[in-house]
């Protein structure tokens, strides 16, 4: 199981998550995170065999999230949002993968289907962790 944890400051994703009815969200106390990180809500994503944990802090417009998904030993896990529409090109992505025996996570601005490269994304992201 790969955990991709990070914090974003942005308007678009905040609005998106505010539209999720918390009554349909569950707190999955059986899923534990390193560093005693806690999240207020959790959404089961059965189509992806994954979970999205999240907490929105309206005082500073930040969104704290953790995306859990299975990966093969040499695989990768990604989470992305495209503020311009439902397509891959234009996505602002965080991709976690194993490098030299350690999990790492980096940001990618997806500008083409042929090649993606590590780059800064539109949204401020900090405290990125992959485990």
């Amino acid at each position: 199981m790969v955990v991709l944890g990070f914090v974003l400051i942005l308007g678009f994703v905040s609005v998106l998550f505010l539209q999720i009815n918390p009554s349909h969200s569950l707190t999955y106390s059986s899923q534990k995170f390193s560093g005693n990180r806690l999240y207020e809500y959790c959404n089961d994503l059965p189509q992806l065999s994954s979970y999205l944990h999240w907490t929105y802090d309206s005082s500073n417009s930040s969104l704290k999230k953790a995306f859990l998904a299975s990966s093969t030993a040499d695989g990768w896990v990604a989470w992305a949002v495209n503020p311009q529409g439902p397509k891959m090109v234009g996505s602002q992505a965080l991709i976690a993968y194993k490098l030299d025996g350690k999990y790492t996570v980096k940001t990618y601005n997806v500008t083409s289907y042929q090649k993606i490269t590590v780059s800064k994304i539109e949204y401020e992201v900090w405290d990125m962790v992959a485990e």
Side-chain angles (χ1 to χ4, degrees):
M1 186 73 70
V2 177
V3 177
L4 179 61
F6 50 93
V7 178
L8 297 170
I9 290 205
L10 57 121
F12 174 77
V13 174
S14 299
V15 171
L16 175 70
F17 279 97
L18 287 176
Q19 302 211 8
I20 297 172
N21 185 343
S23 67
H24 291 97
S25 301
L26 301 173
T27 301
Y28 288 95
S29 58
S30 63
Q31 296 174 350
K32 304 291 183 197
F33 302 94
S34 66
N36 293 323
R37 290 181 311 222
L38 299 173
Y39 301 90
E40 190 172 355
Y41 304 106
C42 179
N43 291 92
D44 183 9
L45 306 172
Q47 305 88 332
L48 302 173
S49 301
S50 61
Y51 302 90
L52 182 65
H53 293 259
W54 58 281
T55 301
Y56 176 70
D57 184 346
S58 61
S59 69
N60 64 6
S61 299
S62 68
L63 183 64
K64 182 171 80 168
K65 301 184 342 178
F67 179 68
L68 280 73
S70 297
S71 171
T72 62
D74 296 325
W76 53 273
V77 171
W79 189 90
V81 62
N82 187 341
Q84 299 165 2
K87 54 187 177 186
M88 219 35 207
V89 172
S91 293
Q92 306 292 293
L94 291 99
I95 301 176
Y97 53 92
K98 206 171 205 178
L99 180 66
D100 298 328
K102 289 179 56 178
Y103 285 107
T104 189
V105 59
K106 298 188 180 196
T107 58
Y108 296 80
N109 186 356
V110 181
T111 57
S112 104
Y113 289 112
Q114 287 74 33
K115 182 179 178 183
I116 64 170
T117 57
V118 175
S119 61
K120 185 171 172 55
I121 61 175
E122 288 183 43
Y123 308 109
E124 184 178 353
V125 181
W126 72 91
D127 194 24
M128 295 188 303
V129 177
E131 54 186 54

